[in-house]
Amino acid sequence: DVKVTQSSRYLVKRTGEKVFLECVQDMDHENMFWYRQDPGLGLRLIYFSYDVKMKEKGDIPEGYSVSREKKERFSLILESASTNQTSMYLCASSFAGGLGNEKLFFGSGTQLSVL
Amino acid sequence: AQTVTQSQPEMSVQEAETVTLSCTYDTSESNYYLFWYKQPPSRQMILVIRQEAYKQQNATENRFSVNFQKAAKSFSLKISDSQLGDTAMYFCASRPPGTASKLTFGTGTRLQVTL
């Protein structure tokens, strides 16, 4: 069974801390994505990566960075966490080389609270 | 840029009944892909159904079907014979062609299936 695994289901951090959210997929997917989910706002794309060491900004990249050193792992980094980054973070992956109708496989999300 | 609008934040349906979730979108692309994703209480998003804009025939997956009206830029989801397990958030999404293109989500509709 295919899997996208996010390292933490719940996370509580202090303002100003550096936060790492990890995501690992076992499907050999080229594309990986980080979304943020907030009530009433749906899912918004933070960053995505279509290959190792490649990254593209999404719609709301400010305050975030990413790292993809290995194909299976895509990390989201909050350099200095702020309270407005309290949210649900969803990682997803998909095959590349298609037409764009490939489905995304999602992790179970990390609910991050910044106090 | 693509935008996706879901105007029904919450809906309720009785078991075994039929319910339709609305979605409208805006895009300047001539071809694109449309999706409905389901997020159950477990939080893991799964693909329900997808439609390619150049195909006139409405997509169907078991109890789930879409009403795709290209001219009106409307993509509604019909769930027939609703089951308790259909209780979830439902997100409509669109994506232009290209494997590295971005998937844009709507704000979601929370569906509650009752006895």
Side-chain angles (χ1 to χ4, degrees):
Chain A
D1 212 9
V2 297
K3 244 186 171 176
V4 178
T5 303
Q6 294 185 231
S7 53
S8 303
R9 192 164 174 85
Y10 298 95
L11 208 54
V12 180
K13 295 292 181 180
R14 296 284 180 192
T15 304
E17 277 193 79
K18 190 168 185 176
V19 181
F20 293 86
L21 302 184
E22 305 287 348
C23 176
V24 177
Q25 49 96 1
D26 64 358
M27 297 165 280
D28 202 34
H29 284 165
E30 293 83 1
N31 295 341
M32 295 189 76
F33 307 83
W34 275 107
Y35 285 90
R36 171 176 171 160
Q37 182 180 358
D38 299 287
L41 297 178
L43 277 73
R44 293 177 292 167
L45 182 64
I46 304 171
Y47 268 97
F48 69 102
S49 168
Y50 52 88
D51 201 352
V52 176
K53 297 191 186 295
M54 305 300 288
K55 60 184 179 184
E56 290 280 342
K57 290 181 180 179
D59 299 316
I60 52 164
E62 296 79 18
Y64 304 94
S65 62
V66 290
S67 171
R68 194 166 180 203
E69 296 296 319
K70 293 185 178 181
K71 190 175 185 180
E72 67 270 19
R73 185 180 296 269
F74 191 34
S75 302
L76 180 69
I77 303 156
L78 287 66
E79 294 289 342
S80 178
S82 63
T83 54
N84 62 13
Q85 293 178 310
T86 291
S87 185
M88 173 77 74
Y89 291 88
L90 293 170
C91 176
S93 70
S94 74
F95 283 114
L99 301 173
N101 62 341
E102 303 81 19
K103 73 176 182 180
L104 266 59
F105 292 83
F106 283 85
S108 296
T110 296
Q111 178 63 54
L112 173 66
S113 297
V114 183
L115 306 177
Chain B
Q2 303 205 358
T3 60
V4 178
T5 302
Q6 294 179 251
S7 58
Q8 305 153 314
E10 294 185 358
M11 293 192 72
S12 181
V13 64
Q14 286 195 318
E15 203 177 19
E17 296 295 307
T18 295
V19 64
T20 299
L21 309 184
S22 301
C23 173
T24 58
Y25 60 92
D26 194 15
T27 179
S28 58
E29 302 283 344
S30 58
N31 192 25
Y32 45 90
Y33 303 98
L34 299 166
F35 306 83
W36 278 98
Y37 279 87
K38 169 185 177 180
Q39 186 181 42
S42 66
R43 303 189 330 202
Q44 187 154 29
M45 301 259 286
I46 54 173
L47 178 68
V48 175
I49 199 166
R50 59 187 150 186
Q51 173 86 37
E52 298 171 24
Y54 62 85
K55 287 188 177 179
Q56 292 189 346
Q57 188 171 6
N58 289 327
T60 299
E61 289 285 344
N62 301 311
R63 296 183 295 108
F64 299 88
S65 61
V66 298
N67 183 4
F68 174 46
Q69 307 269 343
K70 191 171 183 178
K73 294 184 176 176
S74 171
F75 183 61
S76 59
L77 175 70
K78 186 172 87 170
I79 306 174
S80 304
D81 186 25
S82 297
Q83 300 175 0
L84 295 178
D86 296 333
T87 292
M89 281 288 287
Y90 287 82
F91 291 95
C92 180
S94 71
R95 188 179 188 183
T99 189
S101 62
K102 299 177 194 177
L103 189 63
T104 300
F105 285 87
T107 53
T109 296
R110 184 175 300 280
L111 178 67
Q112 181 72 46
V113 180
T114 60
L115 291 170

